[in-house]
Amino acid sequence: MFEAGSLIVYGNSGICRVEGVSMKPQPGGGQAMYYTLTPLFGSGTVYTPVETRVFMRPVISGEEARELVRRMPQIEPDACEGTDQRALTEHYRGLLHTYQCESLVKIIKGVYLKGKQAVARGKKLGKTDQQFMKRAEELLYEELSLALDIPKEQVKDHILQTLEPAAQ
């Protein structure tokens, strides 16, 4: 169970701060423990049962983030080839739903390389690839920003400096 003040990854909502844990009445009687979450890079408040099927984990530590950045050149890119929108969506959604930073790096690297190859052939990167790369970047940059204590806007340059030599 997470304590108030904890920073967690909460499913597709991204990074949230646990504002509190409290008992809430349930339909049909009884009570259940609920988290009150505030997305750090979004708006609103999320109320979720402590016992939920939505994925939750603590934000990675600074050391884990530094190690991930060091390993980025060795992380294999994972882009789905082809143009079948359903296959692309399922492939990228499967990687996103691991909720692991390494999977996000695989998407970013894979789509980045796929885009470079498309440009070399005089083509454009597909919309589905672009959308999933953008979402993977958002999730990864948010978490690395917190873990490395750098502004979110500077994370992309930090990652690109790491990826560029491996992409050549």
Side-chain angles (χ1 to χ4, degrees):
M1 192 159 110
F2 299 105
E3 296 180 11
S6 299
L7 294 176
I8 64 170
V9 173
Y10 177 71
N12 288 329
S13 297
I15 309 294
C16 294
R17 174 175 279 109
V18 177
E19 298 297 341
V21 183
S22 58
M23 295 296 285
K24 297 224 184 271
Q26 296 296 294
Q31 293 195 352
M33 296 285 289
Y34 272 74
Y35 289 120
T36 302
L37 307 175
T38 302
L40 292 188
F41 297 95
S43 60
T45 301
V46 177
Y47 300 97
T48 187
V50 169
E51 298 296 323
T52 181
R53 288 193 272 193
V54 176
F55 182 86
M56 289 187 272
R57 69 165 170 79
V59 170
I60 62 173
S61 69
E63 183 53 41
E64 290 169 318
R66 285 185 288 280
E67 177 61 25
L68 176 69
V69 171
R70 278 193 294 272
R71 289 186 310 104
M72 281 184 184
Q74 287 77 43
I75 296 173
E76 288 297 318
D78 193 339
C80 186
E81 297 302 323
T83 57
D84 178 2
Q85 298 306 303
R86 177 178 279 178
L88 283 171
T89 299
E90 287 178 21
H91 178 80
Y92 291 133
R93 191 173 287 145
L95 284 169
L96 280 178
H97 288 173
T98 67
Y99 303 104
Q100 299 302 314
C101 292
E102 187 168 321
S103 295
L104 300 175
V105 172
K106 288 178 178 190
I107 293 171
I108 295 166
K109 286 181 74 171
V111 176
Y112 175 79
L113 292 173
K114 189 174 179 179
K116 284 182 81 169
Q117 292 166 354
V119 168
R121 293 188 312 265
K123 298 187 177 200
K124 291 172 53 177
L125 187 61
K127 184 177 179 181
T128 301
D129 291 302
Q130 290 176 25
Q131 289 172 333
F132 277 96
M133 181 174 177
K134 181 179 179 189
R135 185 64 181 142
E137 286 176 332
E138 288 170 357
L139 293 170
L140 183 66
Y141 298 171
E142 289 171 3
E143 191 159 3
L144 289 178
S145 170
L146 291 170
L148 297 172
D149 196 27
I150 59 176
K152 182 180 170 187
E153 299 77 32
Q154 293 178 11
V155 173
K156 184 173 184 173
D157 289 337
H158 188 76
I159 290 173
L160 288 177
Q161 289 172 2
T162 303
L163 293 180
E164 200 59 39
Q168 295 177 354

